[in-house]
Amino acid sequence: MHTELVSEPGDPGRPNEDFASVALPASGQGGALVVLDGVTPPRSGTGCLHSVPWFTARLGGTLTELTVSLPDVPLAEALSRALAHTAAAHAETCDLSHPRTPQATVVLARWSPAAVEYLVLSDSALLVESPDGTVTALLDDRLARLPRAALATDALVDSTVRNKEGGFFTAAADPAVAARAVTGTLPRGEVRALAALTDGATRWVERFREGGWADCFTFVRKEGARALVDRVRALERAEAERGLPARGKRHDDATVIFAEL
Ligand SMILES: [Zn+2]
């Protein structure tokens, strides 16, 4: 077992809204990883007194506990319970029905001697390497499949596609969203290593086209998680120096977990 975890804010002057953890229970027989990417709210309010890092720390901390303390509870059920627990922590003070209530993308993986379970919700990525070196990207591509026009303004996103049927789903206040996640179970023998990345790191593939998912995995395996984030930052700076528009945030929080099982 070998793990590596790097998480870096997009702007050193702002809090990192990603959450990442790796848990190796005392049994020594398995483990779990949790990666969340908090959705940055616009200036126009969220109905919530709390910050995005407050939300991701609560949700991520609870998920870390539940995934290892309840190994027989499926990951979607663990996510549902963690969302209910987090919502209860501020239901009395905040309007949890607000479309911009704090929310996050989710990647979970849990491995035992028999199996590797996974859950992906929204646009973070989980890459799985088999013993023969084949890399499979486990993705929830609902957001990527939406027409650009549907994402033109924050107000349009809130009213038509955010956590709406036919749109895309994030982990916010409604535990039922867990049923929307991409989930599955792989035989343990088919998985040699895993990499979980938030979209600040998957830019290496999706925005800068440095290579495909398998190339990205190979880069992390050979050069390390830190090198991937450094490379993304260098590409972002080069884009800025060429005077190209940022297409969204110039720099985003970037998290990479690599786990060799
Ligand atoms: Zn709140």
Side-chain angles (χ1 to χ4, degrees):
M1 165 61 64
H2 163 84
T3 63
E4 201 183 340
L5 192 166
V6 170
S7 187
E8 190 184 275
D11 174 348
R14 282 179 50 92
N16 188 343
E17 293 173 341
D18 287 358
F19 173 96
S21 71
V22 179
L24 303 175
S27 69
Q29 301 248 302
L33 65 81
V34 177
V35 172
L36 309 179
D37 177 359
V39 176
T40 307
R43 278 179 282 270
S44 59
T46 62
C48 176
L49 302 172
H50 304 95
S51 65
V52 172
W54 177 91
F55 174 79
T56 51
R58 286 255 169 178
L59 181 62
T62 305
L63 281 168
T64 305
E65 196 221 316
L66 294 182
T67 51
V68 295
S69 67
L70 301 175
D72 298 326
V73 170
L75 295 180
E77 174 61 21
L79 175 58
S80 176
R81 291 189 196 184
L83 284 168
H85 181 81
T86 304
H90 62 149
E92 290 189 6
T93 56
C94 306
D95 172 14
L96 303 189
S97 67
H98 194 289
R100 286 280 176 164
T101 192
Q103 53 203 272
T105 77
V106 182
V107 173
L108 305 176
R110 177 170 60 193
W111 52 96
S112 70
V116 176
E117 300 160 83
Y118 62 86
L119 179 150
V120 180
L121 183 67
S122 197
D123 61 358
S124 294
L126 181 66
L127 309 182
V128 177
E129 185 194 43
S130 69
D132 70 3
T134 306
V135 173
T136 304
L138 301 171
L139 308 169
D140 171 6
D141 64 354
R142 286 189 191 90
L143 184 56
R145 283 189 277 134
L146 288 176
R148 290 211 141 211
L151 306 172
T153 66
D154 287 333
L156 193 60
V157 168
D158 286 348
S159 64
T160 63
V161 292
R162 178 185 301 282
N163 290 319
K164 297 273 197 314
E165 193 64 49
F168 69 95
F169 294 89
T170 56
D174 180 6
V177 80
R180 306 280 187 169
V182 173
T183 59
T185 303
L186 302 167
R188 173 70 176 77
E190 289 182 14
V191 182
R192 183 166 70 186
L194 299 166
L197 306 93
T198 60
D199 68 341
T202 61
R203 287 176 171 201
W204 192 91
V205 174
E206 296 178 311
R207 175 151 151 186
F208 296 114
R209 312 280 177 200
E210 291 281 286
W213 293 114
D215 304 310
C216 181
F217 192 94
T218 302
F219 189 100
V220 172
R221 175 181 272 296
K222 287 192 177 155
E223 308 291 331
R226 162 57 54 195
L228 186 81
V229 174
D230 288 348
R231 178 64 183 151
V232 168
R233 295 289 181 246
L235 291 163
E236 289 165 345
R237 287 192 298 273
E239 188 182 60
E241 283 160 13
R242 291 201 304 277
L244 296 173
R247 288 175 288 162
K249 290 180 226 171
R250 175 68 71 193
H251 304 289
D252 197 2
D253 302 338
T255 296
V256 180
I257 293 179
F258 176 76
E260 184 139 41
L261 307 189

